[in-house]
Amino acid sequence: MAVDYTVIVVYLAGMLAMGWWGMRRAKSKSEFLVAGRRLGPMMYSGTMAAIVLGGASTIGGVGLGYQYGLSGAWMVFTIGLGLLALSVFFSARIARLKVYTVSEMLDLRYGGRSGLISGIVMWAYTLMLAVTSTIAYATIFDVLFDMNRTIAIILGGSIVVAYSTLGGMWSITLTDMVQFVVKTIGVLLLLLPIAVIKAGGFSEMKAKLPTEYFDPLGIGGETIFTYVLIYTFGMLIGQDIWQRVFTARSDKVARVGGTVAGTYCLVYAVAGAVIGTAAKVMYPKLPSADAAFATIVKDELPIGVRGLVLAAALAAVMSTSSGALIACATVANNDIWSRLRGAIKLSGGDKDEPHDEVKGNRLFILIMGVAVICIAIALNNVVEALTVAYNLLVAGLLVPILGGLLWKRGTVAGALAAVSVGGLSVIGLMWGYGILANEPVYYGLLLSLAAFVIVSLATKPTDAAVLAAWRERLAGRGAEAETDAEPATATQ
């Protein structure tokens, strides 16, 4: 294992080195939070694919393939569909807004009073997303070093917190690009063909497995519908995804680069399901479907290649973890703390003193990172935590966000009602039906939609001046110049 250990150690050291390099570039709020809004198509596509394809997509995707066969691709496939829909229909308008958070977009659209409550919901989602990604380090480091769960979480989480705190989005962008390359080589170019060959090829796989393993809809129509509702729609509105859209140097880059990344996700989905199906042939009686990835890597890959593929799994987890972490810190600082600080100033409790925005955001990443590691150590059930996060996101924020983009009659009162009714109802329904039930997100979303439409129609339309300013921003005009951004050339 010495060669494999060396590969992993070199990879982790490289991540920290890029964090240090990114710190030298992140000299302004724009550079620190959205990489100066100047990523070109190549860098944008790679980093967008890296953030959406995390540990759940890699380890979990292979596990679903082991359990259901080729139809196990649907979870990751719906993530790719969501990214394609975001890129084709919404990303250009989102990029032109020149904001930092989803809540800022809601304030622009509705007139400035929905940001705090939507920020709290988004913060809860990004926090739990970061926690679930951090928990996954325990699985990978256990395979690598037979390491204690708590130590594994602290080690993996500390590395991500370190490079994210140092350089913000620049460090995360650079590390994500490396992680994208490592994942492509490790999973698509190495593990996929080796797994199929070791299983005897597709003809042998078909001969040894039940026919439902090769049914594209074998996982079940209701499950596929739920995946679409949670993951496809979740891709449209998550702060972690939007913050990557904000890094594009133009709306064309956001649209084209995102489309390339979404297509890559579809390929990755099928690859994971095929690897899992091959693992079922080789190891028909594993104690857990999620153990399929680690087992096939540990037992079937040659020295060196095994280290690279495990580095690919680490890359998948780290990219999602770092993206969720900076999104969580951005929301906490810009949407929650800054508003509370503003309220304190208005009440005379604090003086309006200038502050270093980069330093402030860096501090919030550090604080949120420590909180994520502590929660990850205390929490065991990853699936339940992720389900709570996505249910809150979709039921609470999907309607006011898409309603604001698509329906001019929507009002701030309707948006607040949708967030409140959707968020509270999905929590109550999860309590009644169970966290993993499908009904909470179904009914929560319908109640949110009803509240948005009814309250919007019953209240005064949004002020014409607010809508006019909104249309100007959507067209790429009217945004305040970002004086702290450097006029450097775009990064390809």
Side-chain angles (χ1 to χ4, degrees):
M1 292 288 288
V3 175
D4 296 325
Y5 292 161
T6 302
V7 172
I8 298 297
V9 170
V10 168
Y11 167 76
L12 293 176
M15 296 299 98
L16 291 173
M18 289 187 180
W20 183 261
W21 187 86
M23 183 177 68
R24 302 176 63 183
R25 299 199 64 167
K27 301 298 185 183
S28 67
K29 179 180 178 180
S30 174
E31 295 283 350
F32 191 82
L33 293 181
V34 290
R37 306 188 195 275
R38 56 188 189 185
L39 296 191
M42 184 183 298
M43 189 78 82
Y44 180 87
S45 298
T47 56
M48 181 62 88
I51 188 177
V52 300
L53 295 174
S57 300
T58 303
I59 299 171
V62 171
L64 287 171
Y66 182 89
Q67 189 173 358
Y68 297 105
L70 298 185
S71 66
W74 273 105
M75 184 187 78
V76 183
F77 203 83
T78 55
I79 290 174
L81 291 178
L83 186 52
L84 284 172
L86 174 72
S87 302
V88 173
F89 299 112
F90 300 108
S91 63
R93 282 183 281 181
I94 293 170
R96 287 196 292 263
L97 289 174
K98 294 290 188 287
V99 294
Y100 292 101
T101 68
V102 174
S103 295
E104 288 181 38
M105 167 263 168
L106 291 173
D107 278 352
L108 281 172
R109 167 59 182 82
Y110 294 111
R113 285 182 293 164
S114 58
L116 180 59
I117 186 171
S118 62
I120 292 171
V121 174
M122 188 64 76
W123 173 78
Y125 157 73
T126 53
L127 178 71
M128 294 313 297
L129 185 61
V131 166
T132 55
S133 300
T134 303
I135 291 173
Y137 295 126
T139 302
I140 299 170
F141 282 113
D142 178 57
V143 175
L144 281 171
F145 308 116
D146 193 24
M147 187 179 289
N148 174 271
R149 177 182 184 274
T150 299
I151 296 174
I153 289 172
I154 293 173
L155 175 61
S158 296
I159 292 171
V160 170
V161 172
Y163 72 69
S164 301
T165 302
L166 286 172
M169 187 58 83
W170 266 124
S171 293
I172 293 171
T173 296
L174 294 169
T175 53
D176 276 2
M177 197 63 201
V178 174
Q179 288 158 359
F180 169 74
V181 173
V182 171
K183 277 192 288 192
T184 301
I185 296 172
V187 176
L188 297 185
L189 302 184
L190 292 176
L191 184 58
L192 175 61
I194 289 173
V196 172
I197 292 170
K198 292 280 187 178
F202 283 103
S203 58
E204 188 71 13
M205 290 162 63
K206 287 184 177 180
K208 289 187 175 181
L209 294 174
T211 54
E212 56 264 27
Y213 264 71
F214 301 92
D215 179 0
L217 304 178
I219 198 170
E222 184 179 356
T223 300
I224 295 171
F225 178 73
T226 303
Y227 285 159
V228 170
L229 199 60
I230 293 177
Y231 296 114
T232 301
F233 286 123
M235 286 294 106
L236 298 180
I237 57 176
Q239 169 68 25
D240 52 325
I241 309 302
W242 278 41
Q243 200 156 342
R244 295 309 173 97
V245 175
F246 300 151
T247 66
R249 75 164 181 243
S250 67
D251 52 7
K252 182 178 180 181
V253 168
R255 184 172 58 251
V256 175
T259 301
V260 172
T263 304
Y264 178 90
C265 292
L266 303 183
V267 175
Y268 201 88
V270 175
V274 171
I275 292 168
T277 305
K280 184 68 175 178
V281 174
M282 291 182 277
Y283 309 98
K285 296 182 179 181
L286 288 177
S288 166
D290 284 341
F293 180 89
T295 302
I296 196 171
V297 169
K298 194 172 184 179
D299 294 350
E300 302 297 335
L301 298 185
I303 293 172
V305 173
R306 178 171 49 201
L308 183 59
V309 172
L310 286 171
L314 251 170
V317 176
M318 284 186 162
S319 55
T320 301
S321 181
S322 59
L325 177 59
I326 193 172
C328 178
T330 302
V331 171
N333 188 20
N334 292 269
D335 292 337
I336 300 174
W337 171 242
S338 64
R339 294 170 194 271
L340 295 176
R341 188 178 61 213
I344 293 171
K345 289 175 182 177
L346 286 175
S347 64
D350 191 14
K351 295 181 179 180
D352 189 10
E353 297 178 354
H355 62 283
D356 186 335
E357 290 187 312
V358 173
K359 184 179 179 180
N361 282 293
R362 185 173 281 135
L363 178 61
F364 265 85
I365 290 179
L366 180 59
I367 294 171
M368 291 298 108
V370 172
V372 163
I373 292 172
C374 292
I375 297 171
I377 292 170
L379 198 65
N380 283 316
N381 198 315
V382 179
V383 176
E384 288 190 0
L386 196 61
T387 301
V388 170
Y390 271 100
N391 282 356
L392 273 173
L393 177 71
V394 172
L397 292 178
L398 178 67
V399 170
I401 292 172
L402 294 190
L405 289 168
L406 301 174
W407 190 40
K408 68 178 182 180
R409 185 60 181 81
T411 66
V412 65
L416 287 170
V419 175
S420 303
V421 171
L424 292 174
S425 63
V426 81
I427 291 172
L429 289 164
M430 282 190 291
W431 182 272
Y433 282 98
I435 289 177
L436 298 180
N438 293 327
E439 288 85 356
V441 71
Y442 296 166
Y443 299 144
L445 189 56
L446 287 174
L447 289 169
S448 178
L449 177 61
F452 180 70
V453 173
I454 292 170
V455 175
S456 291
L457 292 175
T459 53
K460 184 179 178 181
T462 304
D463 186 84
V466 172
L467 287 178
W470 166 251
R471 286 191 292 268
E472 286 290 299
R473 291 292 286 264
L474 281 179
R477 303 183 297 269
E480 293 182 4
E482 293 186 84
T483 56
D484 58 356
E486 299 171 14
T489 56
T491 300
Q492 296 296 324

